Amino acid sequence: MPTETFEFQVEARQLLQLMIHSIYSNKDVFLRELVSNASDALDKLRLEALRDDSLDVDVSDLHIDIEADKSARTLTVRDNGIGMSREEVVKLIGTIANSGTAAFLRELKEAQDAKDAASTEGLIGQFGVGFYASFMVADQVTLLTRRAGESQGTRWTSDGEGTYSIEDVADAPQGTSVTLRLKPEDSEDRLHDYTAPWKIREIVKRYSDFITWPIRMAAEPAATASDDAADPDDAEDADDAAKATEPETLNSMKALWARSRDEVSDDEYHELYKHISHDWNDPLETIRLHAEGTFEYQALLFIPAHAPQDMFMQDFKRGIQLYVKRVFIMDHCEALLPPYLRFVKGVVDAQDLSLNVSREILQQDRQIQLMHRRLAKKVLSTIKDMRTSHADRYATFWREFGPVLKEGLLSDFENRDAILGVSSFASTHDAQELTTLREYVERMKEGQQDIYFMTGESRQAIENSPHMEAFRAKGIEVLLLTDPVDEVWVQAVPEFEGKQLRSIAKGEVDLDTEEEKAEADSAREKRQEEFADLLTWMKERLGEHVKEVRLSSRLTVSPACVVSDTHDVTPALQNMYRAMGQEVPTAKRILELNPDHALVTGLNKARAAREGDDGLAETAELIYDMALLAEGGELTDPARFVKLMADRLERTL
């Protein structure tokens, strides 16, 4: 058969080089990754055979074989699972179809430059490059595969140096085998002898004991077993292996979620998480749930320590694995958890579902809906416990997953209070520490009725906003909301524990106490009369842009600010809707003037003295544009603003 040679995709080539140059210190994990891929292939074949009666395959002895050849220095991991077509080999092995690749490589380089080994390994884990890990220990990798139901097989070979070859194979067995031509043993570089049976047993036991399919290793010839016995800790194992006549099964195949907590170590739970998620990091939190009664199921869920690169992308694969009586049914089962918990990984094993249940049936199944509700509440209660008992872990969780969790405030009314209860926010109370809404309420000043917040692109932008001036002057705390989702959920959540949530950039603000109001009433009325003509005049001049011009009670330093009416959509939210393809009518906003600012009082006097002066109209225009810029808004005519400002500056020279 003719052999074709291809070049790796640029990103794939870069990743291969990173692997080859030992970016990951624990090279043993290459075998875990190959076994995990083989296990997935067996799951897929059993599922395919269950759903497609026309698929003529034998599923009576699905298993994984590991073969080591000491003299040839090769290691082969073989499965009789679903296999791959030629097109799938090219797509899955030769390229990396992930839109986060560029960002991943950039962050990886930064972590390497900073010599941050933990970050480097964490990034690799987020990306999930399991197959490429083979090149840490091998100078050549050969993959032979045939997809179930097809007659033609495919052989893929590469030395990891930039190219790979593909050829058709007529007599390939069903499934996939990966053969590694191992590099020489090198203890300094942590390259072990991966043909040694004791080492293979150790790796499988540590990383893959829970795999539900048998992982077998051929019995060793007597001479090999004797050699293997050179390792003192494994002499007895080597003797036993020498006597064996049948292939040895290396894993216990016990489902961890079905075993009691005291029978399973944290390390075993962590390895199951890594197998499910293809993450190389330990999870942040492990959640166990066992439900009995009319509907029985077991769940073992994990909260990762890092957010995946593609969590906010449309094609992100969410959902957890569904088993029925220990039989794998479905990967990425979306019906078991709401979208705002899409970062959760894990397994649910139900006792009473059908083995051929489909995704469509799951959406309507009453038992699935009950599990959905229970699992969501369990995850939220775990986050609550984390916040109260493990502040450091909660801080990591909120940094990684806070923005996605807050999406639940828009979609999960039943759990809205629970989500608010575990949410944290930046505030003016502390420059570093986050606060909860309950802590905010406990600190509210006497007479304060509302929880004040402001949304914006960054903490610095909000703190420098003119809208903050009166709140800063009176020492009133303001929540600083900078995630894009904050623009949306604050519209849907009117109150917390009877306290209204109020934007300091919308509506009118009155922060005076009853005594202060009584003292200021006469002064306010006098000031309103003093500036009435100016307000009317500016409304006429700026009517194209604003619906009202009024005196402000929120400004102490700036001359003016722009605010939205109480029930209007903010400009940031309008932009967000437009970015999603939804057309939103533009609402005119309100210009507020600071009656104590010299620019405003000066304009008032000048307008009374020189009513027909065109320059005053330009001054009004500049005041409005400066207010827009101060809040981070966009000018309708930046060139005109620059010209007017340049003219004014020129006159001062």
Side-chain angles (χ1 to χ4, degrees), residues 461-624:
I462 297 174
E463 288 183 326
N464 291 334
S465 168
H467 301 98
M468 291 286 296
E469 293 174 3
F471 293 86
R472 187 180 295 111
K474 289 185 173 289
I476 296 176
E477 184 176 355
V478 177
L479 300 178
L480 312 175
L481 309 181
T482 57
D483 291 324
V485 69
D486 294 331
E487 291 283 354
V488 188
W489 75 258
V490 292
Q491 312 290 326
V493 180
E495 56 88 28
F496 175 77
E497 293 187 352
K499 304 293 184 182
Q500 297 291 310
L501 272 73
R502 286 197 58 191
S503 169
I504 67 170
K506 295 178 73 172
E508 294 197 58
V509 169
D510 187 357
L511 303 180
D512 290 340
T513 64
E514 292 301 321
E515 292 180 4
E516 290 171 332
K517 287 178 187 175
E519 293 175 4
D521 273 350
S522 59
R524 186 179 292 123
E525 288 178 15
K526 182 180 178 182
R527 184 159 279 180
Q528 192 67 34
E529 290 177 11
E530 180 185 345
F531 286 89
D533 290 343
L534 176 67
L535 299 178
T536 302
W537 175 78
M538 288 190 71
K539 171 64 174 66
E540 292 171 356
R541 294 295 178 275
L542 300 172
E544 181 183 347
H545 306 292
V546 302
K547 65 167 134 185
E548 183 183 351
V549 181
R550 67 190 182 201
L551 297 182
S552 178
S553 58
R554 72 185 90 212
L555 296 174
T556 61
V557 177
S558 301
C561 68
V562 183
V563 301
S564 298
D565 221 344
T566 305
H567 301 294
D568 283 351
V569 178
T570 63
L573 192 53
Q574 289 177 26
N575 293 336
M576 194 181 301
Y577 283 138
R578 291 192 186 104
M580 294 187 293
Q582 300 180 32
E583 200 49 50
V584 183
T586 301
K588 289 184 179 181
R589 302 174 71 202
I590 299 166
L591 178 65
E592 290 192 349
L593 302 179
N594 180 358
D596 294 321
H597 195 282
L599 179 58
V600 176
T601 56
L603 178 61
N604 190 34
K605 291 174 183 175
R607 192 212 61 82
R610 310 192 309 272
E611 190 168 346
D613 188 342
D614 291 338
L616 298 180
E618 292 176 352
T619 302
E621 190 178 335
L622 283 171
I623 289 174
Y624 170 71

